[in-house]
């Protein structure tokens, strides 16, 4: 699979911001392998990683209008969402130590 140019992804994200489902499918097809790799390295449990990846794409759908190509490339923007969401999940699931628990 060839990697689409950043300009193509930027255009697709602009279309996603306009709620274009075909553009969203194209974004998913072009980026899912990379974003999966990011998430699964942080969350090695497959089921948890799948849930987080799904949430990542929901966030991309919801926040596509906030993407600014002057600040970052499209894949960097999406990878940051994936990384941050996976780290949030790790922090949320980190067990509390006995010292932190109330008596």
């Amino acid at each position: 699979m060839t990697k689409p140019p950043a300009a193509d992804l930027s255009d697709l994200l602009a279309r996603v911001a306009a709620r274009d489902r075909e553009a969203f499918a194209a974004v998913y097809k072009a980026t899912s392998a990379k974003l999966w790799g990011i998430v699964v390295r942080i969350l090695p449990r497959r089921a948890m990683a799948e849930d987080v990846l799904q949430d990542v794409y929901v966030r991309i759908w919801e926040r596509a209008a906030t993407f600014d190509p002057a600040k970052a490339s499209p894949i960097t923007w999406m990878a940051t969402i994936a990384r941050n969401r996976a780290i949030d999940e790790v922090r949320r699931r980190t067990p509390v130590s006995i010292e932190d628990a109330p008596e």
Side-chain angles (χ1 to χ4, degrees), residues 25-85:
V27 166
Y28 180 85
K29 184 176 179 181
T31 62
S32 61
K34 181 169 184 74
L35 299 186
W36 171 253
I38 292 167
V39 170
V40 80
R41 275 192 290 276
I42 297 169
L43 299 168
R45 286 191 24 221
R46 184 176 180 91
M48 187 184 301
E50 288 171 350
D51 289 344
V52 167
L53 187 65
Q54 179 178 353
D55 189 49
V56 167
Y57 280 101
V58 168
R59 290 176 186 216
I60 289 169
W61 174 260
E62 292 172 344
R63 299 177 184 172
T66 67
F67 171 67
D68 183 355
K71 293 182 180 177
S73 73
I75 196 64
T76 300
W77 181 75
M78 290 183 275
T80 301
I81 292 171
R83 179 185 169 277
N84 290 345
R85 181 60 191 88

